[in-house]
Each structure stands twice: as structure tokens, then as C-alpha cells.
Amino acid sequence: MKIGMCMYLWTTNVGPEHEEILRTIKAIGFDGVEIPIFEGAPYEFEQTAKLLDRIGLDRTATSAIGNPEKNPISSDAMERRAGVDYVKWAVECAAAVGARSLCGPLHSTLGHFSGRSPSADELARSVEAQRQIGEHASNYGVCVALEAVNRFECYLVNTMDALCDHVRQIGHPNIRAMYDTFHANIEETDPNSALTKNADHIAHIHISENDRGVPGRGHIPWPEFYAALATTGYDNWLTIESFGRGLPDLAAATRVWRDFAESNEAVCHDGYTHISRSMEKAGLERG
């Protein structure tokens, strides 16, 4: 199992100017970082890959769809095509940066609502779109890990049961699920059961406190989470996802109106310490 740090805390576009931050993350003990993909071309991500290789950081990738005109579940065929093309582009950039997984709510436009529950037509359109994306991802050796997101940000899939039922309907080996402790804390009546019940479909995990601040400082029952995780056989990334006010557009999108920690470095140091100690207590091995 590997410990990662999502770069959302600093940027949505990692470049040479972030080398000092990346080296600090490496020095703390992280195995890798999660690279946001929102702009740029594959060749630019190839340069980022070289930077990460020099530092000795492995990587995953993350993205989201913020434009309703690029919605893979839209009733408009052109908007659906634009959404599928966007995710295909993100897959290509993920491969270029050397990531073997691309995670996030890449099933629908984040923050865009119909005012109703997901319809059968929307779910069917999502299956069709994700199968196309899965085929593209398989050509690049990338696994797309779809995320169940809370009801205030998304309406297509809010729980792990709903997400994993949908993944089963999609039925493509390159389309899997991710588990996020922040969203599970909001939506699941039993977050740990949601994890263990659906473990076979989970390809990625975000470690995020109930306030999206420093893991270990909030009210998520972490010992129970790690104990449950130890029963699943999961052996992939545990990546800290935290947010701050440093990026105004991202802060607005994630509804972050206050600072959750004294510094970004504190999130890294204390978050890493929380995960590594919790893993040790639960008998979870690094590797």
C-alpha cells in the first residue's frame, strides 16, 4: 500500500515552480502525489513526469468535469460527446504523466443538477459513455476510478452501493470505483460497511477528514476505518485530499470558506503521520 498527497492543496496545474513543494512531500515520506488534470497537453505532462522521476515520487491523477456543456449524461448528444472527449483527453494526460489511475467524479458534471433523482435514461447514457472511456483507457494502461460524491455536489451517484452497482452495469475492467472518507461520512449510514461490502470494485481511496482539513483532527472514526480496510485485501493508494483557500476558484467549487489548518505543510506532516501510524496499528503494510 502507498501513501499519496493530492496537489489540490497548492495547484490544479503542477509544473517546475512546484519542485520545492514536491521535494518537501518526498522528504516527509510520501510515496507519491496525485496530479490534477484540468489543462495542458500530454507532452506537458511528460515534462512533469520527468520532474517527478528526478525527485523519486510515484503518481496518480485526478480530474473533474465543471462544464455542463461537457456532461457525459446530458440528453444532448454533442454535450455527451464533449464530455467523453474530455475524459479521454484526461486519460491521455494521466498516461503521459506516468499515472496508472485517474480518479474523480468523471461520470457527470460536478455541481450541475437536474432537480430530480438520476433517471434511467441518464444512467443508461452514463453506461454507454463509460464503456467508451474504458476502451480508450485500456489502450493507455489507465484505470478510471469513478467517485461517489455527496448530494450537495452531485446527483448521479452519492453512495458506494449506487456507484458500484453502476460500475457493474458498465462492466469494463478499466472503469472501477474509488472510496472517499469525506463523502462517505456524509452519505453512508455505515461508512465502513460501505467500504468492505464494495471492496472488490474499489481501485483508489481518498483519505479526507470530515471538514476536508487534516486527517486525524476531525470526527471520522479512523481506527474503525483502518480496521475495516485491513479486512478487504485492498493494496493500493491511500491519498490525502485536502483543500484550502489558496486557490479561489477551487475553494469556491469545493465550498471552502475558511482555513482548516495552520499551513499546508501541517496538512502534509500531520496527515502523513496519521496514515502511517494508523496503518501500523491496523497491520497494514507499505509497499
Side-chain angles (χ1 to χ4, degrees):
M1 202 172 297
K2 295 181 179 181
I3 302 177
M5 183 73 213
C6 183
M7 292 300 291
Y8 278 152
L9 201 55
W10 296 271
T11 184
T12 56
N13 187 19
V14 176
E17 66 273 23
H18 300 107
E19 181 168 353
E20 183 178 350
I21 295 167
L22 292 166
R23 290 192 178 279
T24 297
I25 291 170
K26 173 65 176 179
I28 290 170
F30 286 91
D31 298 297
V33 289
E34 194 153 273
I35 301 296
I37 296 176
F38 288 92
E39 59 183 296
Y43 75 87
E44 294 173 288
F45 286 93
E46 289 172 359
Q47 298 307 307
T48 302
K50 292 177 182 178
L51 171 62
L52 296 173
D53 288 343
R54 287 198 301 273
I55 296 170
L57 285 168
D58 201 350
R59 75 273 347 205
T60 58
T62 184
S63 189
I65 304 168
N67 185 348
E69 295 181 357
K70 296 180 179 180
N71 191 352
I73 65 169
S74 172
S75 59
D76 184 287
M78 290 184 65
E79 291 178 356
R80 289 199 304 276
R81 170 49 56 192
V84 169
D85 287 346
Y86 174 85
V87 183
K88 287 181 176 181
W89 162 83
V91 164
E92 293 170 15
C93 293
V97 84
R100 293 172 292 281
S101 66
L102 169 67
C103 69
L106 293 164
H107 40 67
S108 56
T109 299
L110 196 63
H112 179 67
F113 297 91
S114 67
R116 298 177 298 277
S117 299
S119 68
D121 286 343
E122 286 173 321
L123 290 166
R125 289 194 287 265
S126 179
V127 167
E128 180 183 359
Q130 294 302 324
R131 286 174 178 170
Q132 294 176 45
I133 291 165
E135 280 301 296
H136 193 72
S138 68
N139 293 331
Y140 286 86
V142 172
C143 171
V144 178
L146 299 177
E147 183 175 16
V149 176
N150 73 77
R151 76 193 79 171
F152 308 108
E153 300 180 49
C154 157
Y155 71 98
L156 188 72
V157 283
N158 301 132
T159 66
M160 289 305 296
D161 281 354
L163 172 62
C164 292
D165 283 346
H166 195 50
V167 168
R168 279 190 286 272
Q169 288 292 317
I170 294 164
H172 196 287
N174 288 73
I175 304 295
R176 299 187 67 194
M178 70 168 288
Y179 181 94
D180 184 297
T181 57
F182 169 80
H183 296 296
N185 178 68
I186 295 172
E187 294 295 341
E188 306 289 355
T189 56
D190 186 343
N192 295 328
S193 177
L195 170 68
T196 57
K197 178 182 177 181
N198 295 292
D200 288 348
H201 297 287
I202 295 173
H204 194 68
I205 292 178
H206 271 171
I207 301 296
S208 187
E209 192 51 89
N210 67 284
D211 63 354
R212 282 182 158 165
V214 182
R217 292 189 185 180
H219 70 227
I220 288 180
W222 291 109
E224 292 83 355
F225 164 77
Y226 287 102
L229 181 62
T231 70
T232 64
Y234 178 84
D235 190 25
N236 213 332
W237 287 90
L238 298 179
T239 296
I240 296 174
E241 185 185 51
S242 183
F243 296 94
R245 294 190 300 159
L247 302 172
D249 289 345
L250 185 59
T254 52
R255 308 299 188 265
V256 172
W257 314 124
R258 68 186 189 279
D259 293 324
F260 299 128
E262 58 273 25
S263 67
N264 291 348
E265 289 69 25
V267 178
C268 285
H269 280 282
D270 291 4
Y272 175 82
T273 299
H274 157 77
I275 295 178
S276 58
R277 288 180 178 175
S278 296
M279 287 179 62
E280 184 176 357
K281 289 178 182 178
L284 294 165
E285 296 183 358
R286 297 279 291 276

